[in-house]
Amino acid sequence: MERPAWAPRSIDISVPSVSRIYDYYLGGSHNFEVDREAARKAMTHLPGLPKIMQANRAFMRRAVRHAVDTGIDQFLDIGSGIPTFGNVHEVAQAAHPGARVVYVDHDPVAVAHSTAVLEGNDDADVVAADLRKPQEILSSPQVERLIDLNRPVALLLVAILHFVEDADDPYGAVAQLRDALAPGSLLVLTHASYEGIPLPAERAEGAVDVYKDIRNPLIMRSRDEVARFFEGYDMVEPGLVPMPHWRPESAPEDEDPYAFSGFAGVGIAA
């Protein structure tokens, strides 16, 4: 397999990556055949995966604009993935010039491309770090330079927590991040679930098994389990709902049925 010029030498291009599979679902070009093969295999069981990812991105953009409307001008996006059109810094800085954004990802391709996209943007940066180690994120030079933790921050955990197994204590990681943020901060979150998927759970399990096979288990949590991540936050209307129902800009009934898979919500720290 030939290594593309944009691929960091440090990565194994024979192993699929969640970030690059996500990039493929969104129509991006920074993925390898091994990623596309895994994605296509998952789509044989759950053909609406690209629609689910598009709904994630659309919700994220609406939530960022909501954050700006409430006066928030700093954003911490953990599990940000490979940059695509309409990323957090583009939406936030278009709505509020000077808004500050720090992306966090542990995929070297995501970090490398974020670095390239952000070149010359003094108000945005990227950290190579893992959600499971919140203190490394919070103490990073990039966060210390751009994020004032004494003022409200929008913390984005979009399509990331379902890749953190219970054994790695995702609830504890989210609580540590919450405790570091000022009152008035927002938690912006989406999470995969069998609830809302327009086909039997037994069939959707085939897609979950694909992620298990590539050693990136996809943890499908119930609505109640997802709601636990918002402990310490007051939910913003309309609460924890399928993505198209969160402050829609077009009629939800026009959305693809797969867009309603899983949950999205925004909470405000007391």
Side-chain angles (χ1 to χ4, degrees):
M1 185 186 306
E2 185 176 348
R3 180 181 295 273
W6 51 261
R9 302 298 304 179
S10 60
I11 67 169
D12 183 350
I13 63 175
S14 68
V15 177
S17 151
V18 165
S19 294
R20 298 194 304 268
I21 292 171
Y22 190 88
D23 178 67
Y24 173 74
Y25 290 143
L26 291 174
S29 59
H30 294 100
N31 48 75
F32 308 128
E33 180 55 31
V34 68
D35 305 307
R36 297 187 285 273
E37 182 181 348
R40 289 190 292 262
K41 187 174 181 181
M43 287 168 63
T44 64
H45 303 282
L46 198 54
L49 277 165
K51 293 294 183 183
I52 297 172
M53 304 313 167
Q54 291 163 19
N56 260 283
R57 300 291 292 186
F59 160 75
M60 179 272 289
R61 290 191 284 268
R62 297 195 303 275
V64 168
R65 287 192 288 269
H66 167 75
V68 171
D69 288 345
T70 64
I72 290 179
D73 61 359
Q74 41 184 6
F75 298 81
L76 181 59
D77 183 2
I78 302 178
S80 50
I82 294 168
T84 55
F85 176 75
N87 239 17
V88 173
H89 74 281
E90 294 174 328
V91 177
Q93 292 175 353
H96 182 102
R100 296 185 163 197
V101 179
V102 175
Y103 293 114
V104 181
D105 208 287
H106 71 278
D107 185 300
V109 172
V111 173
H113 279 283
S114 297
T115 301
V117 166
L118 299 174
E119 186 175 0
N121 188 334
D122 292 336
D123 292 321
D125 211 338
V126 59
V127 179
D130 193 311
L131 168 61
R132 292 169 293 187
K133 299 178 179 179
Q135 290 307 317
E136 289 186 10
I137 296 170
L138 296 168
S139 62
S140 66
Q142 297 90 332
V143 168
E144 290 185 347
R145 180 176 75 87
L146 288 175
I147 305 294
D148 179 359
L149 295 175
N150 295 310
R151 295 194 301 111
V153 176
L155 169 64
L156 285 85
L157 299 175
V158 175
I160 179 64
L161 284 163
H162 47 235
F163 291 113
V164 184
E165 298 180 81
D166 288 342
D168 289 323
D169 192 17
Y171 296 103
V174 174
Q176 284 186 57
L177 291 163
R178 177 200 65 211
D179 292 346
L181 302 181
S185 293
L186 296 182
L187 171 60
V188 176
L189 182 153
T190 67
H191 199 294
S193 177
Y194 286 120
E195 297 175 43
I197 295 178
L199 48 74
E202 296 76 23
R203 184 175 170 192
E205 282 176 3
V208 173
D209 288 341
V210 171
Y211 283 91
K212 189 183 300 180
D213 289 343
I214 66 172
R215 298 182 182 178
N216 281 285
L218 178 59
I219 313 301
M220 305 291 264
R221 294 188 171 97
S222 69
R223 186 183 184 281
D224 287 346
E225 289 171 326
V226 176
R228 280 185 56 201
F229 288 113
F230 286 96
E231 288 183 2
Y233 291 90
D234 295 323
M235 296 301 296
V236 172
E237 290 293 332
L240 186 63
V241 294
M243 292 173 285
H245 285 306
W246 199 90
R247 305 199 175 199
E249 296 171 346
S250 57
E253 54 267 27
D254 294 337
E255 292 281 353
D256 186 282
Y258 279 97
F260 296 86
S261 305
F263 295 101
V266 176
I268 182 167

